[in-house]
Amino acid sequence: MSILINKNSKILVQGITGKEGGFHTRQMIEYGSQIVGGCTPGKGGTTVFDRPVFNTVLEGKNKTGADTSIIFVPAAGAADAVLEAAHAGIKTIVCITEGVPIQDMVPVAAEVKRLGARLIGPNCPGLITPGECKLGIMPAHIFSPGPVGFVSRSGTLTYQAVDELTRNGLGQSTCVGIGGDPVIGTSFLDCVEMFLADPATKALVLIGEIGGGQEEEAARFLEGKDIPCVAMIAGRTAPPGKRMGHAGAIVSGGVGTAQGKVDAFMKAGVPVLDTTQELVAELKKRMATAKV
Amino acid sequence: MSILINKNSKILVQGITGKEGGFHTRQMIEYGSQIVGGCTPGKGGTTVFDRPVFNTVLEGKNKTGADTSIIFVPAAGAADAVLEAAHAGIKTIVCITEGVPIQDMVPVAAEVKRLGARLIGPNCPGLITPGECKLGIMPAHIFSPGPVGFVSRSGTLTYQAVDELTRNGLGQSTCVGIGGDPVIGTSFLDCVEMFLADPATKALVLIGEIGGGQEEEAARFLEGKDIPCVAMIAGRTAPPGKRMGHAGAIVSGGVGTAQGKVDAFMKAGVPVLDTTQELVAELKKRMATAKV
Amino acid sequence: MIIHEYQGKELMNEVGIPTTKGRVAATPAEAKAIAAEIGKKVAVKAQVHIGGRGKAGGIKLAETPEQAEEAAKAIIGMDIKGLKVNKVLVEECIEIDKEFYLGITLDRDAGTHVIMFSPMGGVDIEEVAVTHPDQIFKCHTHPWLGVQDYEIREMLYKTGLDTKILKQVHMFAKKAFELYRKWDCVLTEINPLAVLKDGRVVAADAKINFDDNATYRHPQLEAMREVAEEDPLERSAKERGLNNYVRLDGEVGIIGNGAGLVMGTLDIVAREGGKPANFLDVGGGANAALVANALGLVLSDPNVKGVLFNIFGGITRGDEVANGIVQGVKQVELKVPLVIRLSGTNEKEGRAILAENGYEVAATMEEAAKKIVALTR
Amino acid sequence: MIIHEYQGKELMNEVGIPTTKGRVAATPAEAKAIAAEIGKKVAVKAQVHIGGRGKAGGIKLAETPEQAEEAAKAIIGMDIKGLKVNKVLVEECIEIDKEFYLGITLDRDAGTHVIMFSPMGGVDIEEVAVTHPDQIFKCHTHPWLGVQDYEIREMLYKTGLDTKILKQVHMFAKKAFELYRKWDCVLTEINPLAVLKDGRVVAADAKINFDDNATYRHPQLEAMREVAEEDPLERSAKERGLNNYVRLDGEVGIIGNGAGLVMGTLDIVAREGGKPANFLDVGGGANAALVANALGLVLSDPNVKGVLFNIFGGITRGDEVANGIVQGVKQVELKVPLVIRLSGTNEKEGRAILAENGYEVAATMEEAAKKIVALTR
């Protein structure tokens, strides 16, 4: 078991004919992900790695039965690509693209939610259910199957921590990189809820960052839950943003600081560690105590 | 019984301090409608006919428990007023205002539907459940309680036909003037469905107009239903619009002509009459045959 | 509100839609100068608010500036289906390779705006819609978000046309929708959207109608209104504050409140054998002054042989209407019969006022229709 | 991207938001002329991208044009928290009756934009947010439809302020949101929104930040960018295509890929007792040239005593990074120690290239941090 994706996920690659899209499609296929086709307007009728290319997601979905998509289109077209997938009936949509304007994502993220689709990202590394399906751009070799559910706002810090997990014999059920943009489709809490409902997930790693209140939200939800769980907050020594006027401080109402996040996790009994080494050591200890 | 409104409907009047709003509020109160308050931004805290006036619908709803509203605000603010009511949780919203720009109504009508509220109008006379609740601007004295469900796109033609019904001893369960604008919240079909689910409604009068396809849609739905029903289509001799280019003709695909509507009703076994006199005579005959 | 082709093309250029090159001329001399400036074969096109100008001789080709001057001389002042031509559009003569159709309007049944495209554009597009409905491609735009690129692509890739052309058409569709939204249009139409032999794609015609309910948001439109060539009675109606007047070709003047009731009145007058001279809806809540104005307007139509008032009051109050009729008759010399039907709000008060002034009120709409048809026959 | 108060006020005037009257001056003579034109007491305000200019002496009042000239002479060229003042805004001196706060930004937790208003505006607004949170009123705008009038009303009528004032504030909120949307802002702030003793309401200050991801849609912004007063290293970063560089005040240069990893690197360097000289995220998929640029940039900071590379490749490939390091070192004279940590995509290839060129790669991030801190102490 796992969350969001598994070996049966049928994947369309939006932007499959681009440089990054092509590179990572090959890597996903090599991993064993079921890539059933791709979309690039104007390239319909051609093939990439023997997979059919379609002009629109709707056509691709109708002809392949895809239920999942991953987006590599340039930033200016990314929000449109997300909406195209959601309207075509794709249920899980991963948007890798970085640099998507905020005002493009605000209405699109809300509309995707309304349509009942699940968006991961944008500006994220994607997700992976080790041994079954890789839907993203992460280096596959560091992952291994196992009981740890993993959520992170940071791509590269995820790799760092996962590498550490795997080296220590702790495999992962699913690893989700939810993305670092201000407006994203799936939050920390969304993932934590899904993991708690997944029988294969027996422990949790949460990698947060300063800014926003989603770590706090997830922490509150975890109060009283007895799953072994550890967290890390990046940016504890980052200088406060120079350029956000008063509004940033007022809108957050004091939420979003590293200390606030640490406090929220501590209150929920979730230790916050300084380095990935310490993080994994602590998790190992807690899993042993909980006998999972 | 009735549809949409009855003696328990708790009504807020949006634009209660305006000339038309005030005039019709008094008339509704005299009819026995439960007007619990009104809204006019900036007039909060005052009263009109002993009813409290609020600055916002949200405040009015929270303080009075209103579930229904009627809108008399000027055209430029009407779409906003509709959305305000829907977001405040008002379930039945009647927009009397005429002259609302089409591009204001397209998103608002869709959003109201999403929120699960019911909008009647704009540019409509409202609705009335005779003897219980008048939520509109119709002359009350022509209505009488009874078994006839009544839907119409035209205000004044409604009065004409209802007057005829009442003179002939046929009372009405509820009369709905859905409005003549190109974009409206509630269609013919919506009303017909509600009437068929209402035990008090035992016969139907439908007053349509040329343009659009909602009469055809309602007619298709009525195929095979055995409720006594008669219809009228205004505009059978109207000149075709001079100014709609080709697009109007193409978008409709031939739908919307008087003849098309007549044919659709005839196919459903619903006779289409030329005058309100003939309409009522035919309904009387059919109700007698069906023994209702 | 409608505008001319040349005005439509100006608005299109403003949002970046390429059109045929040209300018408008009010005199033959101007037409000559524009043709000289264009420096090649030109088309001289009557600017008139009615279709079928080509067949009526309202479009002429000219090889030289002198010929353009001649053509303008012939067209300016011409009468096309009752409308006088005041201006001509002088533009480059184009060599068309393919004609597409692009139109945007409201789809009232879908409750949103629809972009329509056909690879079979040109004068016969309405026939194409009937004979080749599969060649009309539609894109219903998102009711909240406005048109999205993927929606246009989903429409266009169904056509099977070449991708390079489609990318250009996509741009036209997107910008035309931008124009449609920006100006509160009810119609934006490019027919033909022409692929030229030199490879360019241009809007070779431009038809734009505006939502009259939204013109208050666009004060610039007032300057574009060319009243000179409107029907003088329709223009007079607007000046009198009567926005729902349409002139017809019969002899029974009709005034009522509510579009449905007025349409119903037209229908019943026609059924009784009369021919309506106009459609005039004074709207909800008409006061005495407006009613008097309405009567004055209808009586100013020389074809009118009698007037039928059909009022069933909701917002409109019977006493206001009655006062308006009395007032209106005082202002003009009443030479034709007047039949009045008055019911609804303040019906009694209205009838009393009319009785005081010596008018009779018909008992029903049918009776009123029969009476006016008999009196005008 | 950020702009100056005077530029913000220009954008506000463009959408119809009234501001204090005034103009920008680059020289004392210009300041004098503007003051003469205004014809009354003026304020001369330093235009600088940092808060607290008032306390630093960057705002002076002047009764006469001559005094304005003197004030400008004192302020232009002044150093405020390390930034040089190049321009002053000369504007009418206003008599403030009440100070409100109006700000628009993204509420990331709500997933939509939020308009915030407080009747207790002015310099201490952040303190108000802490001590009087009930005096901060918020309006979360509709994610699809944008802000609606009723949403603004629902916010404003909670303040209990006088209706007449609220109608004016409503207009400011609506137009400020229009500006915010039109220009892809991440912040539009008016503090104070000043009610003057003469009854006028004006934006007395204007702070506008733009979404860097959307500046491609607004080519006009390029002309508003005033590079002269930016930190020279941050400017140099942009010129090198490095958009995620922030200069800090330590001595350990840090280069990594991914904001989270770079933040994590800063954290661990700090924990080991080092002080980071900068934050530099080369982003996903950085190629060799960009990596070389990054190295060159960090080495051009005179405070840097050593550089830590921390790369964990996803899109970014180890071989590209390794080539970039080799290339970068060739372009400059390397006088400080370099510690490299490289894992992830094409890790083996990258390590091979580095080994060939004589560089050692740290086994873990912790080890790398310890090493660079030891080497720079």
Side-chain angles (χ1 to χ4, degrees), chain A residues 16-69:
Chain A
I16 196 170
T17 60
K19 190 171 157 247
E20 292 300 330
F23 176 81
H24 289 290
T25 297
R26 176 185 287 277
Q27 298 230 327
M28 287 187 284
I29 290 173
E30 281 170 7
Y31 194 76
S33 304
Q34 231 194 110
I35 306 291
V36 296
C39 303
T40 300
K43 297 279 173 68
T46 63
T47 60
V48 170
F49 309 128
D50 289 337
R51 268 68 175 179
V53 179
F54 305 97
N55 288 316
T56 65
V57 176
L58 189 62
E59 193 192 349
K61 194 210 173 248
N62 289 340
K63 295 209 174 140
T64 65
D67 50 20
T68 303
S69 86

Side-chain angles (χ1 to χ4, degrees), chain D residues 13-43:
Chain D
N13 289 338
E14 228 175 63
V15 296
I17 297 174
T19 59
T20 338
K21 276 177 220 144
R23 276 213 326 280
V24 74
T27 65
E30 276 172 37
K32 183 182 174 188
I34 295 165
E37 198 179 288
I38 292 172
K40 51 181 258 197
K41 189 174 173 186
V42 296

Side-chain angles (χ1 to χ4, degrees), chain B residues 103 156 160 237 243 278, chain C residues 181 209 257 267 271 341:
Chain B
Q103 299 205 3
T156 41
Q160 173 73 31
T237 57
R243 296 174 173 174
E278 293 169 11
Chain C
R181 287 279 291 138
N209 300 356
N257 64 322
D267 290 349
R271 199 175 75 144
R341 186 282 180 120

Side-chain angles (χ1 to χ4, degrees), chain A residues 134-207:
Chain A
K134 166 175 147 165
L135 185 69
I137 59 172
M138 57 289 283
H141 68 274
I142 60 174
F143 295 85
S144 58
V148 180
F150 192 107
V151 201
S152 170
R153 268 168 78 183
S154 153
T156 41
L157 202 56
T158 297
Y159 309 157
Q160 173 73 31
V162 166
D163 192 40
E164 203 78 41
L165 280 174
T166 294
R167 282 174 203 271
N168 281 277
L170 297 178
Q172 305 89 42
S173 57
T174 302
C175 295
V176 189
I178 59 174
D181 272 11
V183 181
I184 51 176
T186 295
S187 71
F188 252 88
L189 177 59
D190 294 333
C191 291
V192 168
E193 286 180 334
M194 286 186 276
F195 276 128
L196 288 192
D198 172 37
T201 301
K202 304 192 187 306
L204 284 181
V205 174
L206 313 176
I207 310 278

Side-chain angles (χ1 to χ4, degrees), chain D residues 163-343:
Chain D
T163 293
K164 228 178 98 190
I165 287 284
L166 290 187
K167 292 207 165 153
Q168 292 207 60
V169 174
H170 188 127
M171 183 279 286
F172 275 87
K174 199 168 176 181
K175 296 202 166 175
F177 190 77
E178 182 188 330
L179 187 160
Y180 179 91
R181 288 278 292 136
K182 177 177 172 188
W183 290 96
D184 271 300
C185 296
V186 290
L187 175 73
T188 299
E189 196 172 62
I190 301 176
N191 187 31
L193 175 60
V195 183
L196 305 188
K197 292 211 167 119
D198 62 14
R200 276 186 299 154
V201 183
V202 298
D205 196 358
K207 194 167 178 61
I208 298 178
N209 299 358
F210 304 95
D211 180 355
D212 289 325
N213 288 341
T215 49
Y216 75 92
R217 289 201 275 238
H218 308 286
Q220 317 94 306
L221 287 182
E222 235 4 86
M224 301 181 75
R225 196 188 288 276
E226 303 213 335
V227 290
E229 68 149 72
E230 287 182 21
D231 179 284
L233 275 169
E234 297 198 352
R235 199 188 334 148
S236 164
K238 264 172 218 136
E239 286 161 9
R240 290 165 191 254
L242 297 159
N243 294 317
N244 294 306
Y245 173 84
V246 182
R247 195 178 178 184
L248 304 172
D249 51 6
E251 61 284 319
V252 182
I254 289 173
I255 304 172
N257 64 321
L261 186 67
V262 179
M263 280 199 271
T265 312
L266 259 63
D267 290 348
I268 199 165
V269 164
R271 199 176 75 143
E272 297 301 330
K275 268 193 103 183
N278 64 274
F279 172 103
L280 175 50
D281 167 15
V282 295
N287 61 19
L290 194 72
V291 172
N293 263 340
L295 186 57
L297 171 71
V298 171
L299 290 174
S300 72
D301 179 349
N303 298 338
V304 163
K305 293 193 194 153
V307 178
L308 170 56
F309 257 98
N310 189 6
I311 302 291
F312 205 115
I315 289 193
T316 311
R317 304 179 205 167
D319 50 338
E320 287 282 345
V321 173
N323 282 326
I325 294 173
V326 173
Q327 229 173 276
V329 171
K330 273 184 195 146
Q331 286 160 14
V332 293
E333 208 184 330
L334 187 65
K335 293 182 189 156
V336 299
L338 196 60
V339 174
I340 304 165
R341 187 280 180 121
L342 183 67
S343 298

Side-chain angles (χ1 to χ4, degrees), chain B residues 73-95:
Chain B
V73 310
D80 184 66
V82 170
L83 210 55
E84 175 173 10
H87 268 275
I90 298 292
K91 288 298 164 205
T92 301
I93 304 159
V94 171
C95 184

Side-chain angles (χ1 to χ4, degrees), chain C residues 31-333:
Chain C
K32 184 183 174 186
I34 295 165
E37 196 180 291
I38 291 172
K40 51 181 256 193
K41 189 175 174 184
V42 296
V44 180
K45 302 158 85 177
Q47 298 298 289
V48 66
H49 288 315
I50 197 106
R53 64 183 171 177
K55 286 178 191 159
I59 301 181
K60 292 185 195 300
L61 301 184
E63 298 281 351
T64 64
E66 289 69 29
Q67 284 181 12
E69 186 178 19
E70 283 308 306
K73 209 173 277 175
I75 296 172
I76 293 173
M78 180 185 266
D79 184 294
I80 299 183
K81 300 186 189 172
L83 294 180
K84 191 176 152 236
V85 179
N86 294 311
K87 291 181 181 173
V88 291
L89 174 58
V90 182
E91 54 179 28
E92 57 168 336
C93 207
I94 52 177
E95 288 192 89
I96 293 178
D97 183 27
K98 286 193 203 96
E99 291 187 320
F100 298 152
Y101 170 89
L102 182 71
I104 308 176
T105 190
L106 176 80
D107 183 342
R108 46 197 297 168
D109 293 324
T112 190
H113 311 289
V114 61
I115 303 179
M116 293 178 289
F117 173 77
S118 176
M120 299 172 71
V123 284
D124 296 326
I125 184 66
E126 284 192 41
E127 211 186 302
V128 170
V130 176
T131 58
H132 297 79
D134 60 319
Q135 287 303 297
I136 305 282
F137 298 89
K138 292 182 187 177
C139 163
H140 284 96
T141 64
H142 199 294
W144 298 308
L145 304 179
V147 74
Q148 303 292 305
D149 282 321
Y150 81 85
E151 295 177 322
I152 299 178
R153 288 197 306 266
E154 284 179 357
M155 167 176 75
L156 292 182
Y157 280 106
K158 284 185 200 141
T159 63
L161 291 178
D162 178 67
T163 292
K164 228 176 96 190
I165 287 284
L166 289 187
K167 294 209 163 152
Q168 291 209 58
V169 174
H170 188 125
M171 182 278 289
F172 275 88
K174 200 168 176 180
K175 296 200 164 174
F177 190 78
E178 183 189 329
L179 187 159
Y180 178 91
R181 287 279 291 138
K182 177 177 171 187
W183 289 96
D184 272 298
C185 296
V186 290
L187 174 74
T188 299
E189 196 172 61
I190 301 175
N191 187 32
L193 175 61
V195 183
L196 306 188
K197 291 208 169 122
D198 63 14
R200 277 186 298 155
V201 183
V202 297
D205 197 358
K207 196 169 176 63
I208 298 177
N209 300 356
F210 304 94
D211 180 355
D212 289 326
N213 288 342
T215 48
Y216 74 89
R217 290 200 274 237
H218 307 285
Q220 316 95 310
L221 286 182
E222 238 358 89
M224 301 182 76
R225 196 188 288 277
E226 303 213 335
V227 290
E229 68 148 73
E230 287 182 21
D231 179 285
L233 275 170
E234 298 197 352
R235 198 187 334 148
S236 163
K238 263 171 222 139
E239 286 161 9
R240 291 167 191 255
L242 297 159
N243 294 316
N244 293 307
Y245 173 84
V246 181
R247 194 180 179 181
L248 305 172
D249 51 6
E251 62 285 321
V252 182
I254 288 172
I255 303 172
N257 64 322
L261 185 68
V262 178
M263 279 200 270
T265 313
L266 259 63
D267 290 349
I268 200 165
V269 165
R271 199 175 75 144
E272 297 303 331
K275 269 193 101 181
N278 65 273
F279 172 104
L280 174 50
D281 168 16
V282 294
N287 59 17
L290 193 73
V291 171
N293 263 340
L295 185 59
L297 171 71
V298 170
L299 290 174
S300 73
D301 178 350
N303 297 339
V304 164
K305 292 193 194 155
V307 177
L308 170 56
F309 256 95
N310 189 8
I311 301 292
F312 205 114
I315 288 193
T316 311
R317 304 179 205 169
D319 50 338
E320 286 283 343
V321 172
N323 281 326
I325 293 173
V326 172
Q327 228 173 276
V329 170
K330 274 185 193 144
Q331 284 160 15
V332 293
E333 206 185 334

Side-chain angles (χ1 to χ4, degrees), chain D residues 86-162:
Chain D
N86 294 308
K87 292 180 180 173
V88 291
L89 175 58
V90 182
E91 54 179 29
E92 58 168 337
C93 207
I94 51 176
E95 288 191 272
I96 295 179
D97 183 26
K98 287 193 203 95
E99 290 188 320
F100 299 153
Y101 170 89
L102 183 70
I104 309 176
T105 190
L106 176 80
D107 182 344
R108 44 197 301 169
D109 294 324
T112 190
H113 311 289
V114 61
I115 303 179
M116 291 177 293
F117 173 78
S118 176
M120 299 170 71
V123 284
D124 296 327
I125 184 67
E126 284 192 40
E127 211 186 301
V128 170
V130 175
T131 57
H132 297 79
D134 60 318
Q135 287 302 301
I136 305 282
F137 297 90
K138 292 183 185 177
C139 163
H140 283 97
T141 64
H142 199 293
W144 298 308
L145 303 178
V147 74
Q148 303 293 305
D149 282 321
Y150 80 85
E151 295 177 322
I152 300 177
R153 287 197 306 266
E154 285 180 355
M155 167 177 72
L156 292 182
Y157 281 106
K158 282 184 203 143
T159 62
L161 291 178
D162 178 68

